[in-house]
Amino acid sequence: SASLNPLVRSITLYTTDGLVRSYPWFDFKSRIASGALKRSFSVTELPFFAKAMPARNLSKEGVWEVVNGESQNGETQLVCTAPFLAGGSFQGVIATEVDAGKLAAQLFKNLEPREALGLLLAGTDRVLGTSRKPESNVKLNGLLPAVLKDLRVSGLKGLEPLLRRLANDERFVGSQAGFLVAASGAAGLPVKPVLVLPAALAAGQYSSLRRANLPVWLLIGAVLACGVLLADAWWIAETRRNLAESERKLSESFTALSD
């Protein structure tokens, strides 16, 4: 399953009785030592475990969750989780972690002009990835204020109040602090792509389009929304197919062990 999708960072089975099997291996000792996990760690306390249970997830499909600081390097994670059933009963969950940096790179790979900036936001204070390639010792996944500082774009910190609000809004097209901003989202996804462009640059780049009275940023927002919806639909379909096959094989293994 991991090899079928370049966005997959890890796949892990968590069972209700505490069994954990993952690819790559889930290194408990290192994560406990780094403070990412408590010594009294329990799989049922993971934020996505209860959300994927059939009692809260009647469709039994993949559900999305943003997890803060559970990874070994302390980065925010984007996880798609589905219930694991054996013999018709709930036995645990299968969690697929998405590489948020690669997801951001795919979303923004054709972003023009060069000065435009793409951000992948989660919650009110998290950045999962950007359109910029990280320099050495620069971390572009983390708390919003730190990422805005590391991006080293003049005046960008003035957007922080707006960006915090955008994380919860469905979509937005407007301007603030000398930048034009467009954001869009998709139902069921806890992340939101945002485009930022210096207003002075936009005035020159899109003057001809403005004379034609075209709502440029509204168009960009619509394109982003379609892109995210398509990515979401494709990812859910692929995840469901892979999880169904994994569930079949694991169910056979449980049956064999039971026999």
Side-chain angles (χ1 to χ4, degrees):
S1 293
S3 64
L4 289 174
N5 193 321
L7 296 181
V8 171
R9 177 176 282 177
S10 67
I11 299 178
T12 308
L13 166 68
Y14 302 92
T15 67
T16 52
D17 57 1
L19 175 71
V20 179
R21 288 291 180 268
S22 68
Y23 174 82
W25 168 237
F26 192 106
D27 190 341
F28 287 98
K29 290 184 178 179
S30 295
R31 298 193 187 192
I32 290 173
S34 68
L37 292 174
K38 298 181 296 184
R39 290 191 177 276
S40 57
F41 164 75
S42 170
V43 297
T44 57
E45 295 175 356
L46 292 169
F48 50 76
F49 194 96
K51 190 174 181 179
M53 293 174 63
R56 294 181 57 186
N57 178 24
L58 298 179
S59 67
K60 300 177 184 178
E61 296 183 353
V63 294
W64 291 90
E65 183 77 4
V66 172
V67 185
N68 297 329
E70 298 289 347
S71 66
Q72 188 168 343
N73 57 14
E75 288 188 349
T76 301
Q77 298 170 278
L78 179 59
V79 180
C80 182
T81 312
F84 169 62
L85 308 173
S89 62
F90 176 69
Q91 299 292 339
V93 302
I94 298 174
T96 304
E97 182 191 352
V98 178
D99 190 317
K102 290 183 178 179
L103 175 61
Q106 281 202 8
L107 281 173
F108 304 126
K109 64 181 179 180
N110 296 320
L111 192 59
E112 293 289 346
R114 183 176 58 85
E115 293 82 1
L117 173 65
L119 299 170
L120 192 60
L121 301 181
T124 59
D125 63 349
R126 297 280 168 174
V127 178
L128 296 188
T130 79
S131 60
R132 302 289 172 85
K133 293 182 179 179
E135 303 172 5
S136 59
N137 301 322
V138 173
K139 186 178 177 182
L140 298 182
N141 176 310
L143 291 174
L144 180 62
V147 172
L148 294 182
K149 180 181 177 181
D150 287 341
L151 284 169
R152 299 174 185 173
V153 177
S154 178
L156 194 60
K157 283 188 65 65
L159 283 179
E160 186 175 333
L162 173 63
L163 293 176
R164 288 181 182 275
R165 294 198 303 272
L166 291 183
N168 297 315
D169 294 337
E170 280 300 312
R171 53 185 176 270
F172 175 86
V173 180
S175 60
Q176 185 167 315
F179 293 92
L180 295 182
V181 182
S184 189
L189 271 182
V191 296
K192 184 182 297 294
V194 177
L195 286 179
V196 178
L197 186 68
L201 178 66
Q205 288 282 336
Y206 300 112
S207 58
S208 60
L209 290 175
R210 286 178 175 178
R211 284 195 296 270
N213 200 29
L214 289 177
V216 177
W217 285 98
L218 186 60
L219 179 62
I220 292 175
V223 170
L224 267 178
C226 292
V228 173
L229 284 170
L230 287 173
D232 181 36
W234 170 79
W235 174 259
I236 289 292
E238 286 293 306
T239 300
R240 288 181 63 188
R241 182 176 64 80
N242 294 337
L243 290 180
E245 179 64 17
S246 300
E247 182 178 323
R248 183 185 65 79
K249 292 179 179 179
L250 289 168
S251 294
E252 290 176 355
S253 299
F254 269 106
T255 301
L257 285 170
S258 176
D259 293 341

